[in-house]
């Protein structure tokens, strides 16, 4: 038997919701107070001649790693640099054209402040994300983004909770808005995420995944019963009605249902009686994502794939 909790279920649920409320209130305030400084920051980041270097200590460092990863995911060369390691040699990674994004809620984090003289010497621009608007960090930054909060979500108002959420949201706002400004497209995203499902879809062409062997083909005068057998044996739910190399139409499960509902008998007709003429097709060089979007929009499960000579080269099934 598990040990009972100190607080009642109602008290625990209230505490959970209080955390959400405190942090959401902080984000709402952030949205309401965002000003020209964000536009200036976007402009500075867009015209960066080097990389975006994100730097922070402790919990701010953990948030900084995520922010750097977001920039990189959205096509902006970026990396995280630990301020302690930077002070002991890693500043060699910083190039003159880099823009530094320094995170410190107090603005007085010693490890962060120690590297500022070197950055000034290198000529790097500094964007500060801090709640200390009169802090040493703020005074030495080229731009200051206000990350101040009313209180932490921690019950003792001590552990970085609301402050780290706000810092992360500011980083997300910069990265997402910069992607919008640079017209970063889904295809661009796929280039940087080739291992993900989105990347595979956006970089994959129809010919790479289409079924090209043992296609379910019948002729126009094939008895409907035989056409249904082909559909069943090939496990496609589709039959291609062909005349030589030309596609006359297709028979789908939907065509079968409509044929029967119209009062026809499958034992007396032929394929051309049931088929859908001029079915939708897609070129085999089309991107898979575009083909799937067409199938989703038109509510169809199968697409006939054609080659450069407009001949059938395969069929594509939409796997949701």
């Amino acid at each position: 038997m598990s040990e009972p909790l100190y607080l009642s279920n109602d008290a625990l649920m209230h505490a959970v919701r209080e955390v959400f409320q405190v942090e959401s209130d902080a984000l709402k305030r952030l949205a309401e107070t965002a000003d020209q400084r964000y536009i200036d920051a976007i402009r500075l980041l867009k015209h960066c001649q080097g990389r975006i270097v994100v730097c922070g200590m402790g919990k701010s460092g953990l948030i900084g790693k995520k922010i750097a990863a977001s920039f990189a995911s959205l096509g902006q060369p970026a990396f995280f640099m630990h301020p302690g390691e930077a002070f002991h040699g890693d500043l060699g990674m910083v190039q003159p054209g880099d823009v530094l994004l320094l995170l410190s809620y107090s603005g007085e984090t010693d490890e962060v402040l120690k590297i500022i003289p070197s950055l000034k010497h290198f000529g790097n621009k500094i964007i500060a994300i801090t709640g200390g608007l009169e802090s040493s960090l703020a005074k030495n930054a080229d731009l200051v983004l206000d990350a101040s909060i009313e209180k932490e979500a921690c019950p003792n108002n001590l552990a970085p909770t609301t402050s780290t959420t706000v810092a992360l949201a500011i980083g997300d706002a910069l990265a997402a808005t910069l992607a919008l400004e640079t017209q970063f497209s889904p295809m661009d995203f796929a280039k940087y995420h080739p291992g993900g499902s989105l990347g595979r879809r956006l970089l994959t062409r129809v010919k790479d995944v289409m079924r090209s062997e043992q296609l379910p083909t019948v002729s126009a005068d094939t008895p409907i019963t035989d056409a249904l057998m082909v559909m069943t044996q090939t496990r496609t739910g589709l039959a291609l009605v062909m005349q030589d190399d030309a596609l006359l139409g297709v028979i789908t499960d939907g065509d079968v249902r409509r044929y029967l509902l119209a009062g026809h008998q499958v034992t007396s007709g032929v394929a051309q009686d049931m088929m859908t003429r001029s079915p939708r097709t897609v070129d085999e060089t089309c991107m898979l994502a575009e083909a799937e979007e067409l199938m989703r929009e038109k509510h169809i499960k199968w697409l006939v794939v054609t080659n450069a000579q407009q001949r059938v080269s395969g069929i594509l099934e939409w796997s949701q």
Side-chain angles (χ1 to χ4, degrees):
M1 184 175 182
S2 60
E3 184 178 343
L5 294 167
Y6 173 70
L7 297 175
S8 68
N9 288 348
D10 288 344
L12 288 170
M13 184 55 65
H14 175 77
V16 168
R17 289 172 175 161
E18 178 67 13
V19 171
F20 292 148
Q21 190 63 57
V22 169
E23 298 202 0
S24 64
D25 286 346
L27 292 177
K28 181 179 180 181
R29 174 179 173 272
L30 189 64
E32 293 171 348
T33 58
D35 55 20
Q36 178 64 35
R37 288 174 292 185
Y38 281 86
I39 306 302
D40 294 339
I42 294 298
R43 182 176 290 108
L44 182 58
L45 293 170
K46 179 181 180 181
H47 296 292
C48 172
Q49 298 300 307
R51 293 82 46 84
I52 300 171
V53 183
V54 187
C55 190
M57 190 71 185
K59 304 298 187 294
S60 292
L62 296 176
I63 296 301
K65 290 180 180 180
K66 165 58 173 64
I67 292 174
S70 295
F71 276 116
S73 290
L74 294 172
Q76 298 297 323
F79 66 91
F80 175 78
M81 180 176 66
H82 190 286
E85 298 297 332
F87 191 64
H88 292 280
D90 279 3
L91 273 172
M93 296 187 295
V94 178
Q95 300 174 359
D98 295 342
V99 173
L100 275 290
L101 195 61
L102 304 185
L103 282 70
S104 168
Y105 183 73
S106 67
E108 300 294 345
T109 304
D110 187 57
E111 292 86 350
V112 174
L113 296 180
K114 281 183 176 180
I115 66 173
I116 290 179
S118 296
L119 298 177
K120 292 288 188 179
H121 177 72
F122 299 155
N124 298 102
K125 295 295 185 180
I126 298 174
I127 299 174
I129 298 179
T130 180
L133 302 184
E134 300 298 327
S135 65
S136 300
L137 174 58
K139 292 175 181 178
N140 284 280
D142 296 282
L143 278 170
V144 180
L145 299 180
D146 184 3
S148 60
I149 61 169
E150 294 183 354
K151 64 176 180 177
E152 299 284 7
C154 161
N156 297 313
N157 195 27
L158 293 174
T161 44
T162 310
S163 58
T164 49
T165 297
V166 165
L168 179 59
I170 291 175
D172 285 344
L174 294 177
T177 308
L178 184 58
L180 185 65
E181 171 64 21
T182 57
Q183 301 180 46
F184 190 81
S185 69
M187 190 61 67
D188 294 323
F189 185 87
K191 293 176 183 176
Y192 298 105
H193 300 75
S197 59
L198 176 62
R200 287 194 296 273
R201 287 209 327 273
L202 291 175
L203 293 176
T204 300
R205 297 189 182 277
V206 169
K207 65 180 179 180
D208 298 324
V209 296
M210 70 181 186
R211 176 170 177 170
S212 58
E213 298 180 353
Q214 296 182 328
L215 297 179
T217 59
V218 297
S219 61
D221 57 358
T222 297
I224 288 178
T225 51
D226 291 347
L228 294 177
M229 184 62 68
V230 169
M231 295 168 66
T232 301
Q233 291 175 340
T234 56
R235 298 180 180 181
T236 59
L238 178 77
L240 305 176
V241 184
M242 308 288 293
Q243 181 176 337
D244 298 325
D245 291 330
L247 177 68
L248 300 180
V250 297
I251 300 174
T252 66
D253 291 334
D255 292 318
V256 175
R257 290 192 297 271
R258 286 187 289 272
Y259 189 80
L260 293 176
L261 288 173
H264 302 298
Q265 299 295 319
V266 296
T267 56
S268 59
V270 293
Q272 65 180 354
D273 299 331
M274 184 186 293
M275 71 181 184
T276 294
R277 301 176 186 274
S278 302
R280 293 187 180 277
T281 63
V282 63
D283 190 273
E284 63 182 12
T285 61
C286 176
M287 304 307 296
L288 177 60
E290 296 177 15
E292 288 184 340
E293 180 61 29
L294 173 63
M295 299 168 84
R296 181 165 39 248
E297 178 184 337
K298 302 300 181 182
H299 305 288
I300 51 180
K301 185 179 179 181
W302 292 92
L303 273 178
V304 180
V305 183
T306 58
N307 56 26
Q309 291 73 42
Q310 297 299 307
R311 300 299 186 186
V312 174
S313 57
I315 54 177
L316 177 69
E317 179 182 13
W318 181 30
S319 54
Q320 301 183 40

